[in-house]
Amino acid sequence: MYDNGKYYCSELIYDAFLHSYKKPLFDLFPMTFKSPKSNQYFEVWADYYEKLKMEIPEGQLGCNPGGISTSDKLNIIGTIR
């Protein structure tokens, strides 16, 4: 969850650009923890949030590495093999 006092890796990148540009560079999107095939929560996420004694933050805004990597604001200039 964004802005909860903890950092997920992509949140650090999001905030670094936010701080530099003084406005969001990347978009936040509603998060989902459900399988697109069954519309049921993935077991790993259900267990994770149960251990935290938290509701699964389905639909709340957030970011992830995959989402940032597909942003049209980035240009991939190489890869590491």
Side-chain angles (χ1 to χ4, degrees), residues 11-56:
E11 290 174 320
L12 180 61
I13 301 302
Y14 180 90
D15 276 356
F17 281 100
L18 177 64
H19 177 76
S20 296
Y21 287 93
K22 307 299 184 215
K23 62 181 183 176
L25 181 66
F26 303 109
D27 295 322
L28 297 176
F29 293 98
M31 297 183 293
T32 185
F33 301 86
K34 293 181 176 181
S35 167
K37 294 179 181 177
S38 68
N39 203 34
Q40 298 293 314
Y41 289 115
F42 285 107
E43 187 176 344
V44 66
W45 288 117
D47 292 346
Y48 176 77
Y49 283 104
E50 184 179 328
K51 287 177 186 173
L52 292 176
K53 296 182 179 19
M54 292 177 58
E55 282 189 43
I56 297 173

Side-chain angles (χ1 to χ4, degrees), residues 63-78:
C63 60
N64 62 63
I68 286 179
S69 73
T70 61
S71 170
D72 63 358
K73 296 176 179 88
L74 294 179
N75 292 319
I76 307 297
I77 58 172

Side-chain angles (χ1 to χ4, degrees), residues 1-9 11-12 15 48 52 54:
M1 294 181 300
Y2 182 72
D3 202 22
N4 65 350
K6 300 174 184 176
Y7 270 122
Y8 184 63
C9 57
E11 290 174 320
L12 180 61
D15 276 356
Y48 176 77
L52 292 176
M54 292 177 58

